[in-house]
């Protein structure tokens, strides 16, 4: 633990500070959006969105290397791909009722396939692994500013439309009869989910991020009477899991993304077992 | 005296795929009238309700609610759905659920869905009408089935609707609660237009003025002229009807 604090304070190595800042900032968005994802039961859809983000990352890297678009950061590609697949998957899930899971599963894989093809044709060293599973060494200062901006946007919209999202998650049919534009709020929720996934892309990666969206909110759900409480608990959980995960990964020289996820999963399992025992006794 | 029509259904037909569910339905429900929609399963009750709420559009014919299209009239309708399954893990309190009925209020805050003190007051008043004001802060999932049903009635009431549509309000309610619900509905009946969907004719005959039988077509019967024969025809078989002590009028039942 002391080594971790020393690493944070080391003026020559900003990596740990960036990773910690990205983790703590994105926890706010993860807690709020994760709560909506859990209660609206769309974690499968969120999984599809996050995986297909690889297509955008690959395309951005390719354009940067081959066409000299130096401004084209993989983060921009990720944002664009996330929004696109959120709208695509959202529309599919609204209109292709019977075959929803088939189409979503296909988009999931096709997005990844496109990404890998771009990676293959990008000259130089580009490793999909660091995007799939996170690599805190890749976090730059400009990434951090993008995280701040997206975080503010997601949190702002998630709070302003709280009551509408609550109604849409709880009883969509009734919300519609009260004049709530349910299609709009459903797609907006998927877009916010997509942006949240990009927030934590560098730290835990797009494959693992789905666990950070769902596990803290699922733990929080056990202790909450109202949706906003669930959000606050989920935010706190996210923060604890990322800080603990980063500290452990530094201490034992392990990749930080998987450690954060395993910490969250162990906590989730622990809470589930304690609650099960409490009920049984 | 000509009464203001709240619901006007003119020559409406509807089919999903295949044979029509509703065919040339004509129906007028007036201001402050209380009616009950009955009919056999698959007879088109739910379809008619969805048409009235603007969730479905008629294949032919026209529906006017308060002289407007059903979609445009939505906010003037208080609606209680037939017991949908809610996620028992969903973290909401009774108050949260009732407040959802206040969505769609005018003004900037109303548009983005923020509730003010007037909304909270209306929600508490609505809860008081179903005698659940003490439960406002409890988790919705902790209530009994009957209490949850009444919370959903309060949710429908708290927008102060001019038309109240209750789909099977007596489902999942035991007989003790039923009596109470009956009194609560009777109080509402004179103050707004009330449309009930019910299987339980005995319950509604003392509550409503007219029973509308939906079986591909709509036929109205004033409650005072209901006969055992009519009721048998409505359901296409024998049903036991518990009457609350009034006399069944013996009159020929014809649907033409």
């Amino acid at each position: 633990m002391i080594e971790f604090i020393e690493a944070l304070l080391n003026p020559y190595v900003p990596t740990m500070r960036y990773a910690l800042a990205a983790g703590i900032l994105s926890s706010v968005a993860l807690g709020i959006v994760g709560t909506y994802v859990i209660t609206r039961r769309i974690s499968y859809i969120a999984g599809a969105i996050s995986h297909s983000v690889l297509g955008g990352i690959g395309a951005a890297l390719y354009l940067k290397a081959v066409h000299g678009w130096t401004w084209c950061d993989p983060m921009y590609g990720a944002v664009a791909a996330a929004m696109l697949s959120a709208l695509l998957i959202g529309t599919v899930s609204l209109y292709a009722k019977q075959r929803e899971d088939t189409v979503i599963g296909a988009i999931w894989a096709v997005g990844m396939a496109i990404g890998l093809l771009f990676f293959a044709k990008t000259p130089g060293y580009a490793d999909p692994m660091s995007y799939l599973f996170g690599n805190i060494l890749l976090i730059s200062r400009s990434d951090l500013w993008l995280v701040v901006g997206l975080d503010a946007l997601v949190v702002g919209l998630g709070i302003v439309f709280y009551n509408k999202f609550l109604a849409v998650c709880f009883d969509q049919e009734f919300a519609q009869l009260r004049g709530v534009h349910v299609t709009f709020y459903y797609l907006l929720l998927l877009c916010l989910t997509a942006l949240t996934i990009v927030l934590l892309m560098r730290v835990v990666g797009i494959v693992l991020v789905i666990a950070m969206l769902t596990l803290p909110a699922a733990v929080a759900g056990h202790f909450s009477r109202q949706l906003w409480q669930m959000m606050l608990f989920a935010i706190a959980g996210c923060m604890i899991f990322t800080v603990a995960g980063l500290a452990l990964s530094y201490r034992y020289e392990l990749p930080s993304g998987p450690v954060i996820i395993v910490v969250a999963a162990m906590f989730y399992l622990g809470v589930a077992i304690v609650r099960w025992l409490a009920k049984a006794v | 005296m000509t009464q203001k029509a709240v619901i006007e259904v003119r020559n409406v037909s509807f089919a999903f795929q295949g044979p029509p569910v509703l065919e040339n339905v004509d129906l007028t429900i007036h201001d402050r009238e209380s009616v009950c929609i009955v009919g056999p399963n698959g007879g088109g009750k739910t379809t008619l309700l969805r048409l009235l709420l603007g969730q479905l559009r008629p294949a032919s014919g026209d529906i006017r609610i308060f002289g407007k299209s059903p979609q445009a009239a939505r906010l003037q309708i208080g609606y209680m759905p037939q017991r949908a399954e809610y996620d028992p893990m969903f973290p909401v309190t009774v108050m949260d659920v009732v407040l959802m009925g206040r969505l769609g209020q005018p003004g900037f805050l109303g548009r983005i869905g923020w509730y003010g003190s007037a909304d909270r007051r209306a929600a508490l008043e609505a809860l008081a009408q179903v005698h659940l004001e003490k439960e406002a802060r409890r988790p919705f999932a902790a209530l009994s089935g009957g209490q949850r049903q009444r919370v959903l009635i309060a949710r429908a009431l708290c927008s102060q609707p001019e038309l109240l549509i209750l789909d099977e309000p007596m489902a999942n309610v035991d007989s003790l609660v039923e009596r109470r619900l009956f009194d609560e509905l009777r109080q509402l009946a004179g103050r707004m237009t009330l449309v009930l969907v019910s299987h339980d004719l005995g319950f509604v005959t003392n509550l409503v003025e007219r029973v509308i039988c939906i079986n591909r077509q709509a036929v109205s019967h004033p409650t005072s002229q209901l006969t055992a024969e009519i009721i048998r025809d409505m359901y296409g078989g024998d049903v036991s009807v518990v009457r609350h002590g009034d006399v069944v009028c013996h009159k020929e039942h014809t649907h033409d």
Side-chain angles (χ1 to χ4, degrees):
Chain A
M1 195 65 206
I2 290 164
E3 300 104 309
F4 179 61
I5 292 165
E6 276 170 4
L8 284 176
L9 297 174
N10 186 340
Y12 303 106
V13 189
T15 305
M16 261 306 164
R17 282 197 297 281
Y18 287 171
L20 192 71
I24 291 201
L25 283 169
S26 46
S27 293
V28 185
L30 282 165
I32 292 173
V33 174
T35 298
Y36 290 137
V37 166
I38 289 277
T39 52
R40 184 64 178 74
R41 294 167 177 237
I42 49 170
S43 28
Y44 174 64
I45 290 178
I49 293 173
S50 72
H51 282 74
S52 58
V53 162
L54 193 70
I57 296 170
L61 287 170
Y62 177 81
L63 290 171
K64 194 173 180 176
V66 175
H67 292 282
W69 295 14
T70 45
W71 55 269
C72 193
D73 191 85
M75 283 283 259
Y76 298 147
V79 170
M83 299 296 282
L84 187 70
S85 70
L87 293 174
L88 196 63
I89 290 171
T91 314
V92 165
S93 73
L94 284 170
Y95 296 106
K97 280 285 168 239
Q98 282 88 35
R99 290 281 173 267
E100 183 187 350
D101 56 336
T102 314
V103 183
I104 289 171
I107 294 174
W108 178 317
V110 169
M112 295 198 82
I114 291 171
L116 291 171
L117 290 176
F118 275 119
F119 271 98
K121 282 292 162 194
T122 302
Y125 180 73
D127 179 18
M129 289 297 277
S130 58
Y131 295 98
L132 291 174
F133 304 110
N135 185 349
I136 56 173
L137 295 174
L138 288 176
I139 306 177
S140 68
R141 211 181 173 79
S142 63
D143 284 346
L144 213 51
W145 282 115
L146 193 60
V147 167
V148 171
L150 289 180
D151 197 38
L153 184 70
V154 171
V155 171
L157 288 173
I159 292 174
V160 165
F161 295 120
Y162 174 86
N163 286 324
K164 300 239 176 173
F165 282 131
L166 170 60
V168 169
C169 292
F170 181 72
D171 187 347
Q172 179 160 316
E173 185 198 23
F174 185 82
Q176 184 168 34
L177 293 175
R178 290 314 306 161
V180 178
H181 199 316
V182 292
T183 309
F184 170 79
Y185 284 99
Y186 179 64
L187 292 178
L188 180 62
L189 180 56
L190 291 187
C191 288
L192 295 186
T193 310
L195 293 179
T196 309
I197 286 159
V198 177
L199 285 179
L200 217 54
M201 179 182 102
R202 293 284 201 214
V203 183
V204 299
I206 56 175
V207 173
L208 301 184
V209 71
I210 188 67
M212 285 307 280
L213 206 54
T214 52
L215 290 180
V219 171
H222 287 299
F223 306 102
S224 314
R225 282 154 43 101
Q226 285 183 280
L227 203 69
W228 60 267
Q229 292 172 343
M230 186 166 163
M231 289 173 177
L232 288 182
F233 288 137
I235 291 169
C238 265
M239 288 183 178
I240 293 167
F241 302 152
T242 22
V243 174
L246 282 174
L248 287 171
S249 74
Y250 185 80
R251 169 74 181 75
Y252 295 104
E253 292 177 28
L254 291 166
S256 39
V259 176
I260 293 172
I261 301 304
V262 169
V263 168
M266 275 163 45
F267 207 89
Y268 174 80
L269 205 62
V271 168
I273 290 173
V274 167
R275 284 188 65 89
W276 180 71
L277 286 177
K279 227 176 249 175
V281 174
Chain B
M1 191 187 88
T2 51
Q3 280 176 299
K4 202 175 83 186
V6 169
I7 296 177
E8 291 168 282
V9 177
R10 292 282 158 265
N11 208 19
V12 162
S13 297
F14 184 88
F16 288 100
Q17 273 157 355
V21 182
L22 296 171
E23 203 169 15
N24 302 328
V25 170
D26 274 295
L27 181 64
T28 305
I29 297 170
H30 296 102
D31 191 27
R32 313 263 160 136
E33 204 182 357
S34 303
V35 304
C36 181
I37 295 174
V38 299
N41 287 329
K45 291 192 301 269
T46 310
T47 305
L48 179 67
L49 218 56
R50 292 194 172 282
L51 287 165
L52 293 179
L53 294 167
Q55 293 172 321
L56 295 174
R57 285 169 198 275
S60 64
D62 187 39
I63 298 179
R64 300 268 115 191
I65 314 263
F66 299 110
K68 294 181 274 195
S69 74
Q71 285 86 2
R74 259 177 195 169
L75 291 178
Q76 287 163 271
I77 304 175
Y79 170 62
M80 190 211 71
Q82 191 179 347
R83 187 82 232 114
E85 284 313 312
Y86 295 109
D87 177 2
M89 286 283 289
F90 202 107
V92 277
T93 61
V94 168
M95 189 66 175
D96 288 333
V97 174
V98 177
L99 275 171
M100 285 174 203
R102 296 295 293 180
L103 288 169
Q105 298 296 316
F108 175 70
L109 287 181
R111 282 190 70 87
I112 62 169
W114 284 53
Y115 305 127
S117 54
D119 297 317
R120 276 166 222 291
R121 220 167 25 244
L124 279 175
E125 270 169 32
L127 273 175
Q129 284 190 48
V130 295
H131 304 287
L132 282 175
E133 66 274 27
K134 288 196 189 74
E135 316 292 334
R137 299 177 63 82
R138 286 184 68 196
F140 182 64
L143 302 187
S144 69
Q147 284 176 317
R148 279 205 291 270
Q149 197 91 57
R150 283 149 69 205
V151 170
L152 297 185
I153 294 178
R155 180 176 73 164
L157 281 174
C158 89
S159 60
Q160 281 135 359
E162 294 154 71
L163 165 62
L164 190 62
I165 299 181
L166 306 178
D167 192 357
E168 295 284 359
M170 269 61 70
N172 310 298
V173 172
D174 61 47
S175 59
L176 198 77
V177 177
E178 188 180 293
R179 185 73 226 170
R180 188 164 208 181
L181 201 57
F182 178 82
D183 293 335
E184 284 158 7
L185 290 178
R186 180 124 84 173
Q187 282 178 14
L188 295 173
R191 288 190 282 141
M192 57 189 81
T193 312
L194 184 62
V195 176
L196 300 175
V197 177
S198 182
H199 275 103
D200 188 349
L201 260 184
F203 181 91
V204 297
T205 42
N206 285 337
L207 193 63
V208 300
E209 296 140 39
R210 252 196 314 154
V211 170
I212 297 163
C213 171
I214 302 288
N215 193 358
R216 207 154 59 87
Q217 299 193 311
V219 182
S220 282
H221 301 281
T223 318
S224 55
Q225 290 173 15
L226 275 183
T227 63
E229 209 176 328
I230 291 176
I231 292 161
R232 219 174 10 248
D233 276 9
M234 283 175 186
Y235 290 96
D238 281 319
V239 274
S240 60
V241 178
V242 183
R243 304 283 296 200
H244 291 264
D246 52 7
V247 184
V248 177
C249 167
H250 294 283
K251 200 179 156 213
E252 270 296 279
H253 176 227
T254 47
H255 265 189
D256 297 300

